[in-house]
Amino acid sequence: MEEDKVYAELKKLRSLLAKVVGTQDLPKRAQFSREAIKKAASEFRKLQTERGEWISESDISKVIRSAGYRPGKFIIEKFGFTNYFKRGKQYFFNRKDLVALNKELKTRKINLETYMKLEVDQEKFQKYLRELKQGKKKRPRFKLPENLENIESQPYNHSPKEKILQHIDDLMREYEKDKLVEFIDIFRGSHAMMKSIYYFDRYLEPAKRKQCDKWCFEFNYAQEALAEIKKIRSEIIY
């Protein structure tokens, strides 16, 4: 009968599919369970990885040469990279999409390792400024009088903008005079960071490193102060 023929074909198809998935030795009810399919998918990904279709996080630098150390999480968070999976503690990324990302980074002239260091350095500096503003958190050892209130000062309207600009000009003259461009990068015109090449760091003279560290701090501080002025509401036209 036609129905028997169709049933036989379906049975044969099911058997072939079980072989493809690799569950032909399991009981029929377990051949296409969620666990079996998940295991088959994992094995398939493993096979793809062996064929080079998936790149482990430690091998990203083979595709993106400027990747630096452990860039996986950074790529996912900063670039919205979605074509990846995680096995244990290791990330695996799709090679084709990494190649496309690398092409885009090159087009925009972005060194991934430098960008990662820049983000860390900026966050570190912002954290320092936040701690300066907030002070160290301690348990209060005081008690204010209940009727103590309404003692305030008017906003600070005498902006030191000219002094800040002069400070920046002085720093830039030092930057050019002492050829600090060889040691310092300035990003977006507002954040300075020491160039870092691990193998050469130990050969940099301590006095020069001290000068560069001081220069970066003062430049970044002045730029933050300049940005803060723009936030202050005042009747004075700068």
Side-chain angles (χ1 to χ4, degrees), residues 23 62 101 115 127-128 149 151 158 167 181 200:
T23 57
K62 293 180 180 179
L101 174 60
Y115 180 37
K127 182 181 178 181
Y128 169 79
E149 58 185 15
I151 301 177
H158 301 287
H167 186 199
V181 67
F200 303 151

Side-chain angles (χ1 to χ4, degrees), residues 161-174 189 215 218-219 222-224 226:
K161 183 178 180 181
E162 297 305 323
K163 290 185 178 180
I164 295 172
L165 292 175
Q166 182 60 52
H167 186 199
I168 294 174
D169 287 342
D170 293 341
L171 288 169
M172 293 309 300
R173 278 193 289 272
E174 180 186 356
W215 194 95
E218 292 195 5
F219 181 83
Q223 291 293 341
E224 286 294 328
L226 199 60

Side-chain angles (χ1 to χ4, degrees), residues 38-67:
K38 186 176 180 180
K39 181 180 178 181
S42 178
E43 291 300 319
F44 182 66
R45 280 177 171 171
K46 182 179 179 181
L47 179 61
Q48 286 183 311
T49 301
E50 292 172 353
R51 292 170 56 188
E53 295 180 31
W54 294 91
I55 303 295
S56 67
E57 182 180 25
S58 58
D59 287 334
I60 288 179
S61 59
K62 293 180 180 179
V63 178
I64 304 177
R65 295 191 179 279
S66 65

Side-chain angles (χ1 to χ4, degrees), residues 83-217:
N83 201 359
Y84 72 94
F85 68 92
K86 190 175 182 181
R87 178 182 292 163
K89 295 183 179 180
Q90 180 72 288
Y91 287 96
F92 290 86
F93 297 80
N94 182 267
R95 173 186 283 275
K96 289 184 179 180
D97 286 339
L98 282 179
V99 170
L101 174 60
N102 184 47
K103 184 178 180 181
E104 187 67 22
L105 291 174
K106 284 185 176 180
T107 299
R108 299 193 184 196
K109 297 182 179 180
I110 296 175
N111 182 291
L112 182 55
E113 183 177 18
T114 301
Y115 180 37
M116 290 170 64
K117 289 180 179 179
L118 174 62
E119 288 289 313
V120 171
D121 194 70
Q122 285 182 319
E123 176 55 31
K124 184 178 179 181
F125 190 74
Q126 290 298 323
K127 182 181 178 181
Y128 169 79
L129 293 180
R130 288 195 297 269
E131 289 176 350
L132 280 182
K133 292 179 180 179
Q134 297 174 359
K136 294 183 179 179
K137 295 182 179 180
K138 296 181 179 179
R139 295 180 62 183
R141 298 180 180 178
F142 54 82
K143 184 177 181 181
L144 295 177
E146 293 183 4
N147 61 346
L148 183 63
E149 58 185 15
N150 295 327
I151 301 177
E152 296 179 327
S153 174
Q154 294 299 318
Y156 184 76
N157 288 330
H158 301 287
S159 168
K161 183 178 180 181
E162 297 305 323
K163 290 185 178 180
I164 295 172
L165 292 175
Q166 182 60 52
H167 186 199
I168 294 174
D169 287 342
D170 293 341
L171 288 169
M172 293 309 300
R173 278 193 289 272
E174 180 186 356
Y175 186 79
E176 295 175 4
K177 175 177 174 292
D178 294 344
K179 297 181 180 180
L180 298 185
V181 67
E182 297 178 9
F183 310 98
I184 297 172
D185 285 320
I186 299 177
F187 298 96
R188 302 167 189 151
S190 60
H191 190 89
M193 187 175 72
M194 280 278 292
K195 296 178 187 291
S196 177
I197 302 179
Y198 176 77
Y199 301 103
F200 303 151
D201 279 354
R202 65 167 55 193
Y203 302 110
L204 182 62
E205 295 179 5
K208 180 60 69 175
R209 172 174 287 281
K210 185 176 181 180
Q211 179 191 14
C212 291
D213 286 340
K214 182 175 182 292
W215 194 95
C216 286
F217 175 82

